[in-house]
Amino acid sequence: MPTPRFNPMRSFSWLSLIGSALASRPVLTRWVMAGPVTIINSFIIMWGMTVWVPEGAANVNHFALPVIIFPLIWVVLFTYVCLEDNLPRGSLVMFAIAVVNLGLVALG
């Protein structure tokens, strides 16, 4: 399957430019997304969980539960990145997850 290239005759948008840049280097993109991006997103999700997980009887569940679930979060994100065929969509999903959880932290 040939990788899509940037076509200057198409309508120019920053999203298509980023998508073609990500698709032109699939090994590097997948490596970066499966490595540092997944770890950073896992920490952001863990940080965001302190907002929506209830405190519990000892008032520590909203801190302890995210720490315990962290490896599961990492495995789910890593598996998603490794199995995603469409790299621009995968990077958009990872970015959206980070933005939503950072929004939770900012509002909470």
Side-chain angles (χ1 to χ4, degrees):
M1 183 169 131
T3 58
R5 300 281 180 194
F6 177 70
N7 184 359
M9 302 309 278
R10 253 186 353 195
S11 63
F12 181 76
S13 73
W14 63 273
L15 200 56
S16 67
L17 182 64
I18 292 173
S20 65
L22 290 174
S24 68
R25 293 187 173 93
V27 174
L28 178 65
T29 302
R30 196 171 303 275
W31 184 86
V32 169
M33 283 177 48
V37 172
T38 299
I39 290 291
I40 291 169
N41 261 358
S42 298
F43 279 117
I44 290 172
I45 291 171
M46 188 174 71
W47 189 21
M49 284 178 70
T50 60
V51 175
W52 57 266
V53 172
E55 290 185 2
N59 292 330
V60 295
N61 286 0
H62 64 293
F63 293 119
L65 196 61
V67 172
I68 293 169
I69 296 178
F70 175 78
L72 179 65
I73 296 168
W74 180 83
V75 165
V76 168
L77 292 177
F78 181 80
T79 305
Y80 170 72
V81 168
C82 288
L83 296 178
E84 177 62 58
D85 289 333
N86 190 349
L87 291 177
R89 179 179 60 201
S91 60
L92 186 65
V93 166
M94 295 293 274
F95 179 73
I97 288 171
V99 167
V100 167
N101 282 288
L102 286 173
L104 280 173
V105 170
L107 294 176

